[in-house]
Amino acid sequence: MNIALFSDSYLPTKSGIVTVVIQLKKILEDLGHNVVIVTVGRDEFDFDENSPDEKNVFRVKSILSPVGDGQYIGIPFKKEVVAFLKKHNIEIIHAHTEFFMGHMAIVAGKELNVPVVASTHTMWEDYYRYYLHLGKMIPRRVVRKAVQLVYRKFYAFINVSKKAHDYFNKPFMLPHIPSAIIPNAIDGAKFARKECSEKEKSDLKLKLGIKENEKVVLYVGRMVEEKRLLELYEIMKKVVSERNDVKIIFVGSGAMEKVLIKKCNTDSLSGKMLFTGFVDWNNLYIYYAISDVFVTASLSEMHSMTVLEALLAGKCVVCRKDSSFDDTVLDGVDGYSCESDEEMKDVLVKLLGNREEISRLSKNALEICKNFTLERHGKRTVAFYKAVLDSFPGKITGEQLQNTVDEAD
């Protein structure tokens, strides 16, 4: 197949969606398909045109977005995009965005008479309050209507979790658009297979001021408000007050980083709460290697890539209970899913005093992550594409799509 992936985010920007797009392109190509990417970035920021990551990538003119860190708004021209797609004989378009590039995907699909499908990566009912001007004053029903308007023209959806599936199938959303659940995946060959020497671990601990007998709790992700980082900070503040042998590392950049560092200094916890800023993905494995437990208090995920990374690194996870984690954090198996912030604090205090329990959960994490291999993800996605192509421009049901995807395992 000849496949086009459309995205409002791509390298050198770092995000979960960027990782998803890069990995999907790789596995589809490994399975023998031709893949191109249409995305943002021409003339507006530096990127290496000779990089392997730029092979078959079409960059549209872009401007810096007023919201988000390092995000860009694409200004695509229909004629240029369609010409690029025709050159590559594109048969199906897969959008990983619902905005400017997503709209262009629909326009281009109509021009070429090919199906356009979308992955539902973002729960905008949770996000809009943080990104829209006066967002907290906008009624939820208005956001729902806006989401309906931008998603309604896609032929079918790939939902990355049961949470996404249930949301888009609610009566007030888009239950008439067929969909299937295909969870995100992680490239184990690229991430977990890296050897981490004892010297590397010791050097990093020394750099961060972590003693050999201290336990490490790790957060990795964008340092932004919707990740509930203030709440996570307060949870960990209580944990380190009850356990003096624990340190937490916050890895990532964003607007909340300065806020938390200031709070940390005010609370005299700079030796307990460590902030690394942005860390290149290729070096993240060392931070996972020195940690004992991975944490997230976020309730706005669709299917967390960093949780998948943690499992692949053999780390147990403690999180807030949310259906986005239903297939990755199995309570009492590879971690704990907590009903409240207070329960999360209690679980962490108890768990950090029990190395045997951490070890048991961590071993199970390695088993759970086998459900999210890149190869499995690629085969499911290819099956989804083929079912769509076989039915287009006619209709197909969500049940038919899901059955096709499940049979690909």
Side-chain angles (χ1 to χ4, degrees), residues 100 111 122 130 190 237-238 298 344 359 388:
F100 296 92
E111 179 77 13
T122 305
Y130 305 106
K190 189 173 182 181
K237 178 180 175 180
K238 294 174 183 177
S298 176
M344 194 170 167
S359 177
V388 165

Side-chain angles (χ1 to χ4, degrees), residues 98-239:
E98 58 275 38
F99 294 120
F100 296 92
M101 298 307 298
H103 175 70
M104 178 49 62
I106 292 169
V107 170
K110 185 176 181 180
E111 179 77 13
L112 297 173
N113 193 33
V114 300
V116 183
V117 302
S119 284
T120 55
H121 290 293
T122 305
M123 183 71 79
W124 285 108
E125 284 197 32
D126 295 328
Y127 269 51
Y128 79 96
R129 300 190 305 276
Y130 305 106
Y131 285 111
L132 300 180
H133 183 58
L134 300 179
K136 293 180 172 64
M137 298 175 64
I138 299 174
R140 192 174 290 268
R141 67 179 181 277
V142 173
V143 176
R144 287 177 179 172
K145 187 64 176 177
V147 172
Q148 286 178 316
L149 289 173
V150 297
Y151 273 110
R152 66 182 179 177
K153 294 184 179 180
F154 290 110
Y155 182 80
F157 293 150
I158 291 177
N159 295 311
V160 297
S161 65
K162 184 177 182 297
K163 177 180 180 179
H165 176 270
D166 291 349
Y167 175 71
F168 280 93
N169 275 275
K170 288 184 182 296
F172 57 77
M173 288 307 296
L174 297 161
H176 63 283
I177 296 182
S179 64
I181 300 172
I182 304 178
N184 287 329
I186 189 73
D187 188 351
K190 189 173 182 181
F191 185 80
R193 297 294 178 264
K194 292 189 176 182
E195 294 289 336
C196 189
S197 68
E198 290 301 318
K199 184 178 188 307
E200 282 182 300
K201 290 189 280 188
S202 295
D203 288 348
L204 182 57
K205 284 186 175 183
L206 182 63
K207 176 183 174 182
L208 296 173
I210 299 172
K211 298 175 182 176
E212 285 301 320
N213 65 329
E214 289 182 315
K215 299 179 185 68
V216 176
V217 179
L218 178 69
Y219 167 85
V220 176
R222 291 183 300 120
M223 299 289 284
V224 288
E225 190 177 354
E226 74 268 15
K227 300 294 186 181
R228 298 187 74 245
L229 288 173
L230 281 173
E231 290 82 354
L232 180 58
Y233 174 88
E234 292 299 327
I235 292 168
M236 294 312 305
K237 178 180 175 180
K238 294 174 183 177
V239 170

Side-chain angles (χ1 to χ4, degrees), residues 118 228 302 374 395:
R228 298 187 74 245
M302 279 297 203
L374 207 54
K395 293 185 178 180

Side-chain angles (χ1 to χ4, degrees), residues 232-249:
L232 180 58
Y233 174 88
E234 292 299 327
I235 292 168
M236 294 312 305
K237 178 180 175 180
K238 294 174 183 177
V239 170
V240 297
S241 71
E242 294 187 34
R243 297 200 61 92
N244 60 11
D245 61 342
V246 173
K247 288 186 176 177
I248 179 168
I249 305 174

